[in-house]
Amino acid sequence: MKRQLRGTVAFAVCGSFCTLGAAVAQAEQLVRQGWELLPVMSYAASGLNTRFGRADEWKDRLETLTGHRVLDTLQDVEPLGPRQLARALVVAPCTGTTLARLAAGLSDTPVTLAAKSLLRVGCPVLLAVSTNDGLGASGENIARLMQRKHYYFVPYGQDDAAQKPQSLKADLTLLPAALEAALHGQQLQPVLREWNC
C-alpha cells in the first residue's frame, strides 16, 4: 500500500552535536508519518567532527533518510520559498548562535537563509531550542522570536537544572505535534515544560 505524502518540509540541523541523534530520530518519525524532508545543514553541523559523530556520517544519514542531497550552501536554500519547495522549516536542534542570527535578521548561513526564504512567503519556521545559555544571553533572542509572525517553538524546558542551570532544550518527542500546530498558525502549548525525559 502506497503511503500518502503529506507535503514537503525543510529539516535543518545546527551544531548542537549532543542533540543531533534525537533530532534525526524525529526526522525519521516525520518521514514515517508521510512527510517529505529536504535536509539542510548549518556550516557547523556540516563541517565539524565531534565525539557525537563525524559530519560526513550525519550528512550521509540525512541523505539516506530523506532521499535528497543535503542543502548546505546559501545558493542551495535560497529558492526554498520563492519556488514553494517546502511548506515549513524545522530547525532541530536550534543553537544559541542560530537563535541570535535569526533574532538579528541575519541570513548568512544555510539555515538562517532557509528561514528568510520561507518566511518571505509566509511559511512557518519551527525552532527546537538546544542551548546552554537559554536562561542567559539566548533568553532575549527567544523572547524576540516568540513575538514575530510565523515563528513557533517545539516546547522546551531545563533538561538539567542542577548541573546546567542556564540550559534549555526542546522536548523533541513533541516535534511532530508542534509542526502540525505551526502549519495551522498555532503554537503548541504549553511552551515551557517540566523536563521529564
Coordinates of all heavy atoms in Angstrom, one line a residue, residues 8-10 79-90 113-127 148-152 179 181-186:
T8 N 6.0 18.6 1.8 CA 7.4 18.7 1.9 C 7.8 19.8 3.0 O 7.2 20.9 3.0 CB 8.0 19.1 0.6 OG1 7.6 18.1 -0.4 CG2 9.5 19.1 0.7
V9 N 8.7 19.5 3.8 CA 9.2 20.3 4.9 C 10.7 20.4 4.8 O 11.4 19.3 4.6 CB 8.8 19.8 6.3 CG1 9.4 20.6 7.4 CG2 7.3 19.9 6.4
A10 N 11.3 21.5 4.9 CA 12.8 21.6 5.0 C 13.1 21.3 6.5 O 12.5 21.8 7.4 CB 13.3 23.0 4.7
P79 N 16.2 29.2 -3.0 CA 14.9 29.0 -3.7 C 13.8 28.4 -2.9 O 12.7 28.2 -3.5 CB 15.3 28.1 -4.9 CG 16.8 28.0 -4.9 CD 17.3 28.4 -3.5
L80 N 14.0 27.9 -1.7 CA 13.0 27.2 -1.0 C 11.7 27.9 -0.9 O 10.6 27.3 -1.2 CB 13.5 26.9 0.4 CG 14.6 25.8 0.6 CD1 15.1 25.8 2.0 CD2 14.1 24.5 0.1
G81 N 11.7 29.2 -0.6 CA 10.4 29.9 -0.5 C 9.9 30.3 -1.8 O 8.7 30.0 -2.2
P82 N 10.7 31.1 -2.6 CA 10.2 31.6 -3.9 C 9.6 30.5 -4.8 O 8.7 30.7 -5.6 CB 11.4 32.3 -4.5 CG 12.2 32.7 -3.4 CD 12.0 31.6 -2.4
R83 N 10.3 29.3 -4.8 CA 9.8 28.2 -5.7 C 8.8 27.3 -5.0 O 8.4 26.3 -5.5 CB 11.0 27.4 -6.2 CG 11.9 28.2 -7.1 CD 12.9 27.3 -7.8 NE 13.9 28.2 -8.5 CZ 15.0 27.7 -8.9 NH1 15.4 26.5 -8.6 NH2 15.8 28.5 -9.6
Q84 N 8.4 27.7 -3.8 CA 7.5 26.9 -3.0 C 7.9 25.4 -2.9 O 7.1 24.5 -3.1 CB 6.1 27.1 -3.5 CG 5.6 28.5 -3.5 CD 4.2 28.7 -4.1 OE1 3.7 27.9 -4.7 NE2 3.7 29.9 -3.7
L85 N 9.1 25.2 -2.5 CA 9.7 23.9 -2.4 C 9.4 23.2 -1.1 O 9.5 22.0 -1.0 CB 11.2 23.9 -2.6 CG 11.6 24.4 -4.0 CD1 13.2 24.5 -4.1 CD2 11.1 23.6 -5.1
A86 N 8.9 24.0 -0.1 CA 8.6 23.4 1.2 C 7.5 24.2 1.9 O 7.3 25.4 1.6 CB 9.8 23.4 2.1
R87 N 6.7 23.6 2.7 CA 5.6 24.2 3.4 C 6.1 24.9 4.7 O 5.4 25.7 5.3 CB 4.5 23.2 3.8 CG 3.8 22.7 2.5 CD 2.8 21.7 2.9 NE 1.8 22.2 3.9 CZ 1.0 21.4 4.6 NH1 1.0 20.1 4.4 NH2 0.1 22.0 5.4
A88 N 7.2 24.4 5.3 CA 7.7 24.9 6.5 C 9.2 24.6 6.7 O 9.7 23.8 5.9 CB 7.0 24.3 7.7
L89 N 9.8 25.2 7.6 CA 11.2 24.9 8.0 C 11.2 24.5 9.5 O 10.7 25.2 10.3 CB 12.1 26.1 7.8 CG 13.5 26.0 8.4 CD1 14.3 24.9 7.6 CD2 14.3 27.3 8.4
V90 N 11.8 23.3 9.7 CA 12.1 22.8 11.1 C 13.6 23.0 11.3 O 14.4 22.6 10.5 CB 11.7 21.4 11.2 CG1 12.1 20.8 12.6 CG2 10.2 21.2 11.0
L113 N 19.3 31.6 6.1 CA 18.8 32.0 4.8 C 17.6 31.1 4.4 O 16.6 31.6 3.8 CB 19.8 31.9 3.7 CG 19.4 32.4 2.3 CD1 18.8 33.8 2.4 CD2 20.5 32.3 1.3
A114 N 17.6 29.8 4.8 CA 16.4 29.0 4.5 C 15.2 29.6 5.3 O 14.1 29.6 4.7 CB 16.7 27.5 5.0
A115 N 15.4 30.0 6.5 CA 14.3 30.7 7.3 C 13.8 31.9 6.6 O 12.6 32.1 6.4 CB 14.8 31.0 8.7
K116 N 14.7 32.8 6.1 CA 14.3 34.0 5.4 C 13.6 33.7 4.2 O 12.5 34.3 3.9 CB 15.6 34.9 5.1 CG 15.2 36.1 4.3 CD 16.5 36.9 4.0 CE 16.1 38.1 3.2 NZ 17.3 38.9 2.8
S117 N 14.0 32.7 3.4 CA 13.4 32.3 2.2 C 12.0 31.9 2.4 O 11.1 32.3 1.6 CB 14.2 31.2 1.5 OG 13.7 30.8 0.3
L118 N 11.7 31.1 3.4 CA 10.4 30.6 3.6 C 9.5 31.6 4.4 O 8.3 31.7 4.1 CB 10.5 29.3 4.4 CG 11.0 28.1 3.5 CD1 11.4 26.9 4.4 CD2 9.9 27.7 2.6
L119 N 10.1 32.4 5.3 CA 9.3 33.4 5.9 C 8.8 34.5 4.9 O 7.7 35.0 5.1 CB 10.2 34.1 7.0 CG 10.4 33.4 8.3 CD1 11.5 34.0 9.1 CD2 9.2 33.2 9.1
R120 N 9.5 34.8 3.9 CA 9.1 35.8 3.0 C 7.9 35.4 2.2 O 7.2 36.2 1.6 CB 10.2 36.3 2.1 CG 10.7 35.4 1.0 CD 11.9 36.0 0.4 NE 12.1 35.5 -1.0 CZ 13.1 35.7 -1.7 NH1 14.1 36.5 -1.3 NH2 13.1 35.3 -3.0
V121 N 7.5 34.1 2.2 CA 6.3 33.7 1.5 C 5.3 33.2 2.5 O 4.3 32.5 2.2 CB 6.6 32.6 0.4 CG1 7.4 33.2 -0.7 CG2 7.3 31.4 1.0
G122 N 5.5 33.5 3.8 CA 4.5 33.2 4.8 C 4.5 31.8 5.4 O 3.6 31.4 6.0
C123 N 5.6 31.0 5.2 CA 5.7 29.7 5.8 C 6.2 29.7 7.2 O 7.0 30.6 7.6 CB 6.6 28.8 4.9 SG 6.0 28.5 3.3
P124 N 5.7 28.8 8.0 CA 6.2 28.8 9.4 C 7.6 28.2 9.6 O 8.1 27.4 8.8 CB 5.2 27.8 10.1 CG 4.7 27.0 9.0 CD 4.7 27.8 7.8
V125 N 8.3 28.8 10.6 CA 9.6 28.3 11.0 C 9.5 27.8 12.4 O 9.1 28.5 13.3 CB 10.7 29.4 10.9 CG1 12.0 29.0 11.5 CG2 10.8 29.9 9.5
L126 N 9.8 26.5 12.6 CA 9.6 25.8 13.9 C 11.0 25.6 14.4 O 11.9 24.9 13.8 CB 8.9 24.5 13.7 CG 8.7 23.6 14.9 CD1 7.9 24.3 16.0 CD2 8.2 22.2 14.5
L127 N 11.2 26.1 15.6 CA 12.6 26.0 16.3 C 12.5 25.1 17.5 O 11.7 25.2 18.3 CB 13.0 27.4 16.8 CG 13.0 28.5 15.7 CD1 13.3 29.9 16.4 CD2 13.9 28.2 14.6
R148 N 7.5 37.4 16.9 CA 7.5 37.6 15.5 C 6.5 36.6 14.8 O 6.4 35.4 15.2 CB 8.9 37.4 14.9 CG 9.8 38.5 15.4 CD 11.0 38.5 14.6 NE 11.9 39.5 15.2 CZ 13.2 39.5 15.0 NH1 13.8 38.6 14.3 NH2 14.0 40.4 15.6
K149 N 5.9 37.1 13.7 CA 5.0 36.3 12.9 C 5.7 35.1 12.3 O 6.8 35.2 11.8 CB 4.3 37.2 11.9 CG 3.2 36.6 11.2 CD 2.5 37.6 10.3 CE 1.3 37.0 9.7 NZ 0.6 38.0 8.8
H150 N 5.0 34.0 12.3 CA 5.5 32.7 11.6 C 6.6 32.0 12.3 O 7.1 31.0 11.8 CB 5.8 33.0 10.2 CG 4.7 33.6 9.4 ND1 3.5 33.0 9.2 CD2 4.7 34.7 8.7 CE1 2.7 33.8 8.5 NE2 3.4 34.8 8.1
Y151 N 7.0 32.4 13.5 CA 8.0 31.7 14.3 C 7.2 30.9 15.4 O 6.4 31.4 16.1 CB 9.0 32.6 15.0 CG 10.2 33.0 14.1 CD1 10.2 34.2 13.5 CD2 11.2 32.1 13.9 CE1 11.3 34.6 12.7 CE2 12.3 32.5 13.1 CZ 12.3 33.7 12.5 OH 13.4 34.1 11.7
Y152 N 7.6 29.6 15.5 CA 7.0 28.7 16.5 C 8.1 27.9 17.2 O 9.2 27.8 16.6 CB 6.0 27.8 15.8 CG 4.9 28.5 15.1 CD1 5.0 28.9 13.8 CD2 3.8 28.9 15.8 CE1 4.1 29.6 13.1 CE2 2.8 29.7 15.1 CZ 2.9 30.0 13.8 OH 2.0 30.7 13.2
L179 N 4.9 20.7 14.8 CA 4.9 21.1 13.3 C 3.4 21.2 12.9 O 3.1 22.1 12.2 CB 5.6 20.0 12.5 CG 5.5 20.1 11.0 CD1 6.1 21.5 10.5 CD2 6.3 19.0 10.3
A181 N 0.8 21.9 14.6 CA 0.2 23.2 15.1 C 0.7 24.4 14.3 O 0.0 25.3 14.0 CB 0.6 23.3 16.6
A182 N 2.0 24.4 14.1 CA 2.6 25.6 13.3 C 2.0 25.7 11.9 O 1.8 26.8 11.5 CB 4.1 25.4 13.3
L183 N 1.8 24.6 11.3 CA 1.2 24.6 10.0 C -0.2 25.2 10.0 O -0.7 25.6 9.0 CB 1.2 23.2 9.3 CG 2.6 22.8 8.9 CD1 2.6 21.3 8.6 CD2 3.1 23.6 7.6
H184 N -0.9 25.2 11.2 CA -2.2 25.7 11.4 C -2.1 27.1 12.0 O -3.1 27.6 12.5 CB -3.1 24.8 12.2 CG -3.5 23.6 11.4 ND1 -2.8 22.4 11.4 CD2 -4.5 23.4 10.5 CE1 -3.3 21.5 10.6 NE2 -4.3 22.1 10.0
G185 N -0.9 27.7 12.1 CA -0.7 29.0 12.7 C -0.9 29.0 14.2 O -1.2 30.1 14.7
Q186 N -0.6 27.9 14.9 CA -0.7 27.9 16.3 C 0.6 27.4 17.0 O 1.3 26.6 16.4 CB -1.9 26.9 16.7 CG -3.2 27.3 16.1 CD -4.2 26.2 16.3 OE1 -4.0 25.1 16.7 NE2 -5.5 26.6 16.0

